[in-house]
Amino acid sequence: MALVAGFLAQAMQMALVLIAAPLLTGFVRKVKARLQRRRGPSVLQPYRDLYRLMRKEVVLAENASWLFRVTPYLIFAVTWVAASLVPTFASGLMFSWAADLIAIIALLGSARFFLALAGLDVGTSFGGIGSSREVMIASLAEPAMLLIVFPLALVAGSTQLSNVAEFMVSPDVGLRVSLGLALIALIMVAIAENGRIPIDNPSTHLELTMIHEAMVLEYSGRHLAMIELAASMKLLLYLSLLACLFLPWGLATQGMGVAAYAVGLTSYLGKLAAGGVLLAVFELVVAKMRVFRVPEFLGAALMLGLLGTLLLFLSRSL
Amino acid sequence: MQLVAVALACVAVLLGAAVLAVAVSARRVASTVVYGACLAASSIALAAALVHFAGTSPVTLTLPLGLPWLGAHFRLDALAALFLAVVNLGGASASLYALGYGKHEPLPGRVLPFFPAFLAGMNLVVLADDAFTFLLCWEFMSLASWALVMAHHRVEDNVRAAFIYLVMASFGTLALLLAFGVLAGPDGAYGFAAIREGVQTPLENTLVLALVLIGAGSKAGLVPLHVWLPLAHPAAPSHVSALMSGVMTKVAVYAFVRVAFDLLDGSDWWQSMVVLFIGGGTAALGVLYALMQHDLKRLLAYHTVENIGIIYIGLGLALAFQANGMMAATALALTAALFHVFNHSLFKSLLFFGAGAVLTATGQRDMEALGGLIRRMPYTSFAFLVGCAAISALPPLNGFASEWLTFQAILQSPDLPQWGLKFMVPAVGGLLALSAALAAACFVKAFGITFLGRPRSHAAETAREVDRFSLTAMFGLAGLCLLAGILPGFVIDALAPVTLSLVGERMPAQADVAWLSIVPIAEARSSYNGLLVFVFVAFSASFAAYIIHRFASHALRRAPAWDCGFPEPSVRTQYTAGSFAQPIRRVFGTLIFRAREHVDMPPPGDSRPARFHVDLRDLVWEVLYLPVAAIVNSTATRLNHFQFLTIRRYLGLVFLALVTLLLVLAIWL
Amino acid sequence: MDRLIFDIAHLLAASLVLISFVQLYQDRLYALLNTFALHAFMLSCSVAWQAFIQDAPHLYITAAIALVFKAIFIPVALHRIIQRLGIHREIETVVGIGVTMLAGIALVALSMVVMLQVTTEAEPLAREDLAFALAVILLGLLLMVSRRNAVSQVVGFMSLENGLVLAATGARGMPLVVEFSVAFSILIAFVVIGIFLFRIRERFDTVDVHVLDRHRGER
């Protein structure tokens, strides 16, 4: 019985992640529009976009290979799996021990690997621009992410997300500088990985400012729908990660009753909404950086992670 | 007794095949016979090694060869069995591959005799149990591989590469000779059993470790002794390159592990700092060099340097933990390093086989002349893709499993008491993460430019798929990569006897963990389940495919590429290897390679094309090797005068030497 | 409660180190000045908190001096100088920003190792404050050394002095007289530097020290 309940909870998290992702994207767009004194599209518009794309015909380049057609499914699957392993309304779900934070980062890395390959597949220069810039950003964002995992793992004694989240709720955590540095670094890396301003503009039409858009330029129809959905889920994943690591209050644990799950769900949706508003405000306040300033930005995130680790060693040995 | 004898019998078969090859290499069937014999011998030796893993205690054998008062000692213990398995798995797959590839060899007489000799040499090094046999077989291995590098001697670059290789190999053997000399002590106790019993002073300990690091490290490819590797590995035929990169470097790692963990009593913490520093620097520099290459085989060779760096990071961690008595963490770090040894031999061989297949099909190694091969060579490209994904540490393949274990070992570092280690280990962890991310970038470039896109030359347009033997070898290795990634617990349990024999501790038994996860220290800390991740991803992908199939439109139409409405008919407009690496070159290369871009822009009205030129400098070569070469050259030029003296001068030299010796005798007595 | 006090002091001191890093990252002059103002503000918060824990009311005066002079007065004055002189508002670095940040991390590690090994008998809060203070001093020196612009060297000098104040408050031993004299000497030094900047600018039309180097006598 407990097994079935656990299985259901995990399945519910997978469904929640899938359904909430486009809603989050729509919400962010709506808040941005409102702040710019526009009415903006409806919050449900991304669902309509996905539906429209699913029903359209796929136009495939003549020399696109099987890799080009398989990649959207692969990216979608990998991102969905990674997003369902991050605690949203409850921690300690049934399969959460299968992959820890390092494995989740590596799963997102595989999605990026195949997306970069798909960008090179058709043999145009736009795909090349997108892929080469994307791997440059990844070559700094992934180490920065791993150097954020270090202080978190050292403080909480584990790299398993559920354990870290439960540790953060407990009173042992205290007000640590290393965690503050890790928070700032995680926000910087999250902005870089999701291709938001100031790294990349998700709504650009100018080729020289594209990174993500340039890689998916040749995709259309149902393939594009899956890639867009995967991108929304990636944003949801990072916001959930920030929420469960640094704002873990309200998180239920596996095995608590339905009431606790409901509380967890409400607090999770609230955190998502708050994160969306902050993201929208940040994107409007800051301008996009030149591509070759991005390594300095990410280098700063890497240094913050390293500094956090060093400060942790300092306070541990006193 | 028996298993060692079986292994030695296989070695004898290999040597016999080498001799046979000298005689029959002109015939057409020679290639099949020789490689078939190698395949059989390697498979039997592999089976012997695996059987030993099921058993327990070490077995030794002494043959009345070599020095009369010493004999030749051979021993098969857990560590030797592991590396024997790695060597023979590589040898068997290379022989299988060569059954198809070897038919395209223009000069079989220069390759066929030395290939079995090379395999025999590597096997003997792993089995050797005394210093004399070890060094003899080490040199034999080096010479056989040198002969293979010289196989295509008409190419000028190959001759130079072989010369540099010979110099570096001799230098490495000299260092190892001195190391074993110090270990054997003034009594000349060359047997490893005697050395294990003996006790070394701290100075001797440091000296031996430094010499082994230099000697074995130069063969493995540690920076700054790596310069021969990217020249020699690509020069040899592809199956030999796979063996050199995937297996011979592991034999060098074996030498280091054998001396540092087995023969020495353990080292100081500051020595492990040196190993960690060198490992981290090698990993980062190796992958940065690899990113700047556009020759496919040279890229793979530089990448070997990076992975050797990762292995040495694991070994350095194990030494650090061992020096502080943290045995559980030592076992974890050592297991991670040995797991990576196994993984690297698998995927590096696979990638070199793929490069060889591309070379056979197109005659090109330069990525700037390839492209679009995924449609012409679908099976090769699929196997190569699996290799690229494995080496980029993507879950659920095996590269990720060993990197995950290394990271878990790094997370044990706060318990280390020394400050230097406490700061160095996270810094090295950062370097490891950086090199992993750059490796993924490098292989996106390697696979993307070579196999994807549009063909950049006529050779790429008319490529054909290679023969079945090559494909079987590649798919076999790819399957093993996937298996080792999904079921890492079995590999970790198999490595347990090795760590038990070396450091007296093992990782917790993974077979007991539920659902086939792996748990490095304790369940509460972290766990990883490769099989479950694989099943999850497969299920999600199938579910997505099903939903799409049910509810979405099936229509699909082929059309010219969209390209923002500006289609480019020329294939020269797509990205090249150099342009793909340009952002990373700007970020990292400006400092490390002094990369400078020069644009020669004609003034308005002049219709000649603009030229773009990138200037890269290899600082290791310029700072370390060129000055040494200059000194040797100038000294040799000065000493050359001794060749042209008159008879009277020569007599004068003899007279002088005699008088000096008599003087010394007089003073001494 | 004791834990919380310790943590807040730790937080304030470490944020001072963090803002030193942010100063190293800046390459625009106005942004550097704003960061320096923030640096001085964090210093005054940290000193005020120390005054609260150590129950030493004279430290409140130190905090007020830091706030008024260094967080408000000096940045505003430098702002006016830059506008009057029309100084070029981008700061050229000697090596890239990445290398500078790496050097900064190494300096922080070095200062931590040194301070922790030297002060083994003191209480944890003081030890940590000293380690952070040395780090801030070294980072201020790094800022002075790795920039070509004279104004950024002044800012580096000021943040170095902030580190000294942090060290003094952490060691619980700074009498008010010493504090006043140090503050006044810094003020005089600042006025002198300001006069020199004006003269240099009049003479050479620039305050880029690299350019000034060419006019040395014995070249």
Side-chain angles (χ1 to χ4, degrees):
Chain A
M1 189 54 217
L3 202 66
V4 173
F7 193 72
L8 273 178
Q10 178 73 60
M12 214 182 100
Q13 166 146 321
M14 287 183 81
L16 173 68
V17 161
L18 191 60
I19 294 174
L23 185 61
L24 177 67
T25 310
F27 179 71
V28 172
R29 280 191 208 154
K30 184 76 164 177
V31 173
K32 272 174 89 164
R34 281 291 180 172
L35 286 172
Q36 289 173 333
R37 300 189 60 194
R38 296 185 281 125
R39 287 194 55 188
S42 144
V43 183
L44 302 177
Q45 184 61 30
Y47 292 107
R48 296 194 193 111
D49 285 337
L50 287 173
Y51 180 64
R52 173 179 55 97
L53 282 172
M54 296 278 232
R55 295 189 44 209
K56 285 196 156 210
E57 171 188 62
V58 164
V59 177
L60 209 53
E62 275 156 350
N63 58 342
S65 63
W66 61 265
L67 189 64
F68 193 77
R69 294 173 68 170
V70 164
T71 299
Y73 295 94
L74 208 53
I75 293 176
F76 173 75
V78 166
T79 316
W80 193 18
V81 168
S84 7
L85 288 168
V86 176
T88 54
F89 59 90
S91 68
L93 288 178
M94 206 173 146
F95 294 127
S96 62
W97 44 262
D100 62 346
L101 194 48
I102 300 179
I104 290 175
I105 296 169
L107 277 172
L108 291 175
S110 349
R112 190 173 34 229
F113 184 83
F114 283 102
L115 190 60
L117 282 180
L120 286 174
D121 189 46
V122 182
T124 63
S125 44
F126 289 111
I129 288 182
S131 299
S132 64
R133 288 176 178 179
E134 179 71 22
V135 298
M136 172 191 76
I137 292 178
S139 72
L140 286 168
E142 266 198 40
M145 195 67 206
L146 280 162
L147 279 179
I148 293 169
V149 172
F150 277 2
L152 286 173
L154 294 176
V155 164
S158 162
T159 50
Q160 207 70 294
L161 268 177
S162 307
N163 293 352
V164 178
E166 280 161 30
F167 179 82
M168 291 294 186
V169 182
S170 73
D172 301 327
V173 64
L175 196 68
R176 290 179 189 260
V177 170
S178 314
L179 293 181
L181 292 178
L183 172 63
I184 300 175
L186 184 57
I187 292 177
M188 289 166 88
V189 171
I191 293 175
E193 289 255 358
N194 285 302
R196 313 299 298 191
I197 292 179
I199 308 286
D200 183 14
N201 191 342
S203 56
T204 183
H205 304 290
L206 301 172
E207 300 84 48
L208 284 178
T209 59
M210 290 181 185
I211 301 178
H212 186 260
E213 295 297 314
M215 285 189 287
V216 303
L217 198 62
E218 301 289 333
Y219 276 114
S220 53
R222 54 189 186 271
H223 296 158
L224 187 60
M226 280 197 286
I227 291 187
E228 300 265 318
L229 189 53
S232 307
M233 275 200 292
K234 195 166 167 185
L235 182 62
L236 186 82
L237 187 156
Y238 273 97
L239 279 179
S240 318
L241 199 60
L242 278 165
C244 87
L245 286 176
F246 295 105
L247 303 168
W249 305 284
L251 202 59
T253 332
Q254 164 77 355
M256 291 184 179
V258 180
Y261 283 1
V263 167
L265 188 62
T266 341
S267 71
Y268 174 66
L269 291 174
K271 292 172 205 170
L272 278 188
V277 168
L278 285 172
L279 178 63
V281 170
F282 183 70
E283 285 207 310
L284 287 178
V285 167
V286 177
K288 184 179 172 307
M289 278 197 259
R290 277 177 52 207
V291 168
F292 285 109
R293 301 274 256 125
V294 173
E296 291 173 5
F297 182 77
L298 286 172
L302 211 143
M303 294 302 161
L304 282 176
L306 197 53
L307 192 61
T309 317
L310 291 181
L311 291 180
L312 201 61
F313 283 153
L314 174 67
S315 58
R316 250 183 190 230
S317 61
L318 286 176
Chain B
M1 167 75 194
Q2 286 83 347
L3 285 173
V4 181
V6 168
L8 285 173
C10 297
V11 170
V13 167
L14 287 171
L15 288 170
V19 173
L20 181 67
V22 176
V24 303
S25 62
R27 310 274 184 87
R28 289 224 10 233
V29 302
S31 160
T32 318
V33 165
V34 171
Y35 288 126
C38 293
L39 179 61
S42 300
S43 315
I44 297 176
L46 174 64
L50 291 175
V51 164
H52 180 89
F53 268 120
T56 45
S57 54
V59 283
T60 58
L61 179 63
T62 309
L63 290 180
L65 305 168
L67 295 174
W69 62 90
L70 191 57
H73 297 259
F74 296 103
R75 178 178 144 120
L76 184 63
D77 58 0
L79 180 65
L82 170 69
F83 280 91
L84 199 67
V86 167
V87 167
N88 286 301
L89 186 58
S93 51
S95 311
L96 181 59
Y97 178 80
L99 279 172
Y101 179 81
K103 300 223 172 52
H104 303 278
E105 179 61 54
L107 300 167
R110 292 180 74 97
V111 175
L112 282 178
F114 299 107
F115 184 81
F118 184 36
L119 282 178
M122 288 196 286
N123 276 307
L124 284 172
V125 170
V126 170
L127 287 171
D129 196 37
D130 68 81
F132 184 70
T133 315
F134 185 91
L135 284 170
L136 192 66
C137 303
W138 181 272
E139 271 297 87
F140 182 58
M141 175 180 81
S142 303
L143 280 176
S145 50
W146 172 80
L148 285 167
V149 169
M150 279 287 274
H152 300 149
H153 63 289
R154 300 264 181 247
V155 181
E156 180 64 39
D157 285 340
N158 289 358
V159 175
R160 176 171 175 263
F163 174 67
I164 295 179
Y165 176 38
L166 200 59
V167 170
M168 296 300 296
S170 313
F171 173 70
T173 311
L174 175 66
L176 280 178
L177 188 68
L178 290 172
F180 280 119
V182 173
L183 273 176
D187 304 321
Y190 288 116
F192 281 1
I195 296 180
R196 260 180 223 118
E197 308 290 321
V199 177
Q200 290 84 25
T201 67
L203 178 63
E204 284 176 356
N205 209 329
T206 314
L207 202 59
V208 168
L209 200 64
L211 284 169
V212 161
L213 194 61
I214 293 176
S218 77
K219 186 67 109 205
L222 291 179
V223 168
L225 301 166
H226 68 287
V227 286
W228 62 274
L229 206 148
L231 295 172
H233 284 198
S238 306
H239 54 300
V240 176
S241 307
L243 277 184
M244 287 175 79
S245 259
V247 177
M248 192 172 71
T249 49
K250 307 302 170 298
V251 174
V253 171
Y254 162 77
F256 183 79
V257 174
R258 175 65 81 187
V259 173
F261 286 97
D262 195 20
L263 296 180
L264 288 176
D265 296 327
S267 15
D268 288 328
W269 65 270
W270 61 270
Q271 292 162 346
S272 63
M273 261 181 80
V274 174
V275 176
L276 270 174
F277 180 69
I278 291 182
T282 306
L285 278 176
V287 72
L288 282 172
Y289 276 119
L291 269 165
M292 303 295 133
Q293 303 300 318
H294 53 87
D295 177 336
L296 191 54
K297 284 174 103 177
R298 188 157 295 166
L299 185 149
L300 292 175
Y302 269 118
H303 222 272
T304 304
V305 172
E306 183 226 347
N307 278 292
I308 292 293
I310 295 178
I311 295 173
Y312 270 86
I313 289 177
L315 290 175
L317 279 173
L319 283 174
F321 290 133
Q322 191 187 32
N324 284 303
M326 297 162 61
M327 299 322 277
T330 312
L332 174 60
L334 194 57
T335 311
L338 292 174
F339 197 170
H340 202 79
V341 162
F342 176 65
N343 286 341
H344 183 243
S345 70
L346 286 179
F347 43 67
K348 194 38 72 71
S349 307
L350 170 59
L351 288 170
F352 265 107
F353 291 164
V358 167
L359 184 60
T360 312
T362 62
Q364 286 285 350
R365 267 164 45 184
D366 190 351
M367 283 192 275
E368 315 276 23
L370 296 171
L373 292 176
I374 193 171
R375 275 174 297 286
R376 309 288 312 179
M377 305 170 68
Y379 298 109
T380 306
S381 53
F382 183 74
F384 199 85
L385 181 63
V386 173
C388 287
I391 204 169
S392 311
L394 304 182
L397 293 171
N398 56 353
F400 176 70
S402 56
E403 285 222 7
W404 188 80
L405 281 175
T406 316
F407 277 122
Q408 294 295 332
I410 288 178
L411 284 171
Q412 305 296 321
S413 61
D415 300 325
L416 287 168
Q418 293 91 3
W419 277 97
L421 273 177
K422 257 209 252 267
F423 285 150
M424 169 143 275
V425 175
V428 166
L431 274 179
L432 181 63
L434 183 68
S435 51
L438 285 171
C442 187
F443 279 96
V444 167
K445 169 178 142 172
F447 188 78
I449 305 288
T450 312
F451 288 94
L452 301 177
R454 294 175 281 166
R456 294 179 181 81
S457 69
H458 181 71
E461 276 175 12
T462 54
R464 281 190 347 192
E465 188 58 90
V466 290
D467 59 274
R468 267 170 297 136
F469 287 113
S470 312
L471 288 177
T472 317
M474 286 196 275
F475 275 103
L477 286 176
L480 275 177
C481 284
L482 184 63
L483 270 181
I486 313 183
L487 304 171
F490 288 116
V491 181
I492 293 177
D493 280 342
L495 289 172
V498 182
T499 54
L500 260 179
S501 74
L502 287 177
V503 297
E505 179 75 37
R506 54 166 290 171
M507 277 179 67
Q510 307 295 325
D512 302 333
V513 180
W515 293 84
L516 295 176
S517 297
I518 50 173
V519 167
I521 301 281
E523 182 86 40
R525 294 197 64 150
S526 43
S527 60
Y528 166 69
N529 193 324
L531 182 61
L532 207 59
V533 168
F534 179 67
V535 164
F536 241 151
V537 171
F539 165 72
S540 312
S542 327
F543 182 71
Y546 169 70
I547 296 286
I548 297 286
H549 189 78
R550 240 354 264 288
F551 297 110
S553 143
H554 290 207
L556 186 143
R557 175 165 63 97
R558 290 270 183 181
W562 158 236
D563 219 7
C564 269
F566 298 103
E568 306 148 1
S570 160
V571 295
R572 306 287 298 169
T573 54
Q574 53 177 345
Y575 257 50
T576 62
S579 41
F580 189 84
Q582 187 242 21
I584 296 186
R585 186 177 65 227
R586 282 241 190 131
V587 174
F588 296 102
T590 331
L591 188 63
I592 298 186
F593 302 119
R594 302 271 186 270
R596 301 283 178 264
E597 295 173 353
H598 304 284
V599 179
D600 174 24
M601 191 69 86
D606 191 346
S607 63
R608 67 183 165 87
R611 292 212 180 275
F612 178 78
H613 175 74
V614 176
D615 208 8
L616 290 172
R617 286 164 53 186
D618 188 346
L619 289 177
V620 172
W621 184 256
E622 288 181 17
V623 168
L624 192 58
Y625 288 88
L626 285 182
V628 170
I631 291 175
V632 169
N633 245 341
S634 67
T635 317
T637 315
R638 267 170 242 261
L639 288 177
N640 203 20
H641 289 301
F642 281 112
Q643 297 274 38
F644 305 109
L645 299 176
T646 64
I647 293 190
R648 191 182 61 83
R649 293 248 171 94
Y650 282 130
L651 284 174
L653 276 178
V654 172
F655 178 65
L656 206 61
L658 190 58
V659 169
T660 316
L661 285 174
L662 287 172
L663 265 175
V664 167
L665 205 59
I667 297 176
W668 215 260
L669 289 178
Chain C
M1 195 54 208
D2 205 25
R3 181 80 218 204
L4 191 62
I5 293 178
F6 182 76
D7 276 345
I8 293 184
H10 188 85
L11 185 72
L12 289 171
S15 60
L16 211 59
V17 174
L18 181 64
I19 296 176
S20 297
F21 269 104
V22 175
Q23 276 181 335
L24 278 177
Y25 182 75
Q26 298 304 330
D27 61 352
R28 297 207 186 98
L29 212 47
Y30 284 153
L32 183 64
L33 287 183
N34 294 340
T35 321
F36 171 66
L38 188 61
H39 197 253
F41 176 70
M42 285 317 290
L43 176 72
S44 64
C45 291
S46 175
V47 171
W49 183 252
Q50 289 285 350
F52 174 62
I53 327 177
Q54 293 175 20
D55 205 20
H58 61 90
L59 285 179
Y60 283 119
I61 304 182
T62 310
I65 291 179
L67 187 64
V68 167
F69 275 114
K70 302 174 99 174
I72 301 178
F73 179 62
I74 290 187
V76 166
L78 276 175
H79 215 92
R80 306 266 289 277
I81 291 181
I82 291 174
Q83 272 183 337
R84 291 254 324 255
L85 292 183
I87 293 178
H88 185 50
R89 294 202 217 115
E90 209 172 280
I91 309 178
E92 291 90 22
T93 57
V94 175
V95 281
I97 288 190
V99 178
T100 320
M101 302 272 275
L102 263 177
I105 294 265
L107 286 174
V108 171
L110 177 67
S111 62
M112 277 171 26
V113 170
V114 165
M115 270 308 174
L116 286 180
Q117 289 187 342
V118 163
T119 61
T120 37
E121 299 88 33
E123 57 155 21
L125 189 54
R127 288 175 80 188
E128 225 178 56
D129 266 348
L130 282 174
F132 283 143
L134 184 59
V136 172
I137 292 174
L138 287 176
L139 286 175
L141 270 173
L142 183 65
L143 185 63
M144 286 175 74
V145 164
S146 65
R147 297 285 185 273
R148 293 190 209 259
N149 189 307
V151 177
S152 53
Q153 290 180 344
V154 171
V155 170
F157 180 61
M158 298 280 146
S159 56
L160 190 150
E161 203 248 339
N162 285 354
L164 284 172
V165 172
L166 184 65
T169 54
R172 292 170 183 259
M174 183 113 134
L176 205 53
V177 164
V178 178
E179 167 63 29
F180 269 132
S181 51
V182 171
F184 267 119
S185 61
I186 296 292
L187 197 57
I188 298 295
F190 175 71
V191 167
V192 171
I193 291 174
I195 294 176
F196 263 109
L197 276 179
F198 270 104
R199 294 303 298 264
I200 292 173
R201 177 67 170 72
E202 269 174 38
R203 187 75 202 281
F204 295 109
D205 260 341
T206 174
V207 289
D208 184 344
V209 295
H210 196 63
V211 172
L212 298 179
D213 216 22
R214 278 190 237 135
H215 293 269
R216 274 174 60 189
E218 59 271 15
R219 276 298 180 89

